[in-house]
Amino acid sequence: MIYHTVVIEETGESYRCAPSESLLAGMERLGKRGIPVGCRGGGCGVCKVEVLAGSYTKRVMSRAYVSAEEEAAGQVLACRIYPTSDVRLKVIGKMAKNVCRPQPPAASAAAV
């Protein structure tokens, strides 16, 4: 299966995403706590991102959350876009608080 690499600009984190899955589905695998996920159908606007580089296919998104001008500028809903190449994105919606916050350091292995 083909996978594309998606990089989150603010954190430098990356994840693999198949062309058959939305960028949001791939992002959820990062395991960050508190990533707000709404309707998953393009109607709530929670997962708004800006695609800085790369290509994707898209499905219908509510104009209440993504205007035609925003869409033309690469501002889309992560639940409604599917990568067709590697993608670099910026989190701009309600997800930014949780996706872009620093992760706590990993616990050190206990001495044996």
Side-chain angles (χ1 to χ4, degrees), residues 39-98:
C39 69
R40 298 179 192 264
C44 73
V46 168
C47 61
K48 197 169 190 179
V49 297
E50 180 176 354
V51 176
L52 304 172
S55 59
Y56 54 88
T57 58
K58 63 184 179 207
R59 296 196 176 151
V60 176
M61 294 171 254
S62 171
R63 287 293 179 222
Y65 299 102
V66 179
S67 69
E69 294 79 18
E70 288 173 323
E71 189 176 324
Q75 294 181 12
V76 291
L77 301 179
C79 70
R80 303 305 283 169
I81 63 171
Y82 301 78
T84 57
S85 74
D86 290 349
V87 172
R88 189 166 48 94
L89 61 84
K90 179 179 179 184
V91 180
I92 59 174
K94 297 174 184 173
M95 288 195 308
K97 176 182 175 187
N98 293 329

